[in-house]
Amino acid sequence: RRAADTLARVLPRLAAHDAAATDALAGHVAASVARLPLLDTLAAGLPGADVLALQLHCCARVTEGIPDDATGARLKSRLQARGALGAVTHYLLDVAFAGMGTRSAAGGYDKSGGAWSDACARPALPPALATLQGLVKS
């Protein structure tokens, strides 16, 4: 996993200066994060689950490695145009935390219930949050 982390952090910088590479990287990340819900349905330890978990982990590292400059802004723009941000927010709002129910009197959600714990235990939640962080940081 360490080699994958290193490569994933270097890829955004390598792709940033080539429009075709930027678009290809954005397309790969967007297609991968669209599979976040699938990770939750695969049984842990199965070969498919391990491969998908590593793929989503690497995509999160790619977004976290986006440089904070004009080339990084261009890559983020392509990621958004390719649907990466929409896929992550769809997973978080419509899949992982969809069953949160009604708001409490204080205005927040009841985090003491089983639905909250179940959502926080989903295998795809860590890569989804890490990807979102990489996409929105400036």
Side-chain angles (χ1 to χ4, degrees):
R1 213 175 212 190
R2 189 171 181 198
D5 283 347
T6 302
L7 183 59
R9 289 193 177 272
V10 171
L11 278 175
R13 294 191 183 278
L14 293 174
H17 299 286
D18 182 290
T22 298
D23 195 53
L25 182 59
H28 174 74
V29 170
S32 295
V33 297
R35 300 179 67 208
L36 283 162
L38 179 60
L39 183 59
D40 288 342
T41 65
L42 294 173
L46 288 179
D50 291 343
V51 170
L52 182 56
L54 180 60
Q55 181 180 8
L56 292 170
H57 171 81
C58 288
C59 286
R61 295 300 162 264
V62 164
T63 64
E64 291 175 339
I66 296 173
D68 188 21
D69 58 16
T71 61
R74 199 166 34 251
L75 178 53
K76 283 184 183 183
S77 176
R78 290 305 307 145
L79 284 162
Q80 188 166 359
R82 287 300 205 97
L85 183 59
V88 172
T89 55
H90 162 73
Y91 170 76
L92 292 170
L93 299 173
D94 300 331
V95 178
F97 293 98
M100 291 300 107
T102 58
R103 288 172 146 315
S104 69
Y109 290 101
D110 177 18
K111 297 176 191 84
S112 63
W116 185 265
S117 296
D118 291 346
C120 290
R122 288 175 173 265
L125 188 62
L129 292 174
T131 301
L132 180 62
Q133 179 182 0
L135 291 171
V136 300
K137 75 174 182 178
S138 52

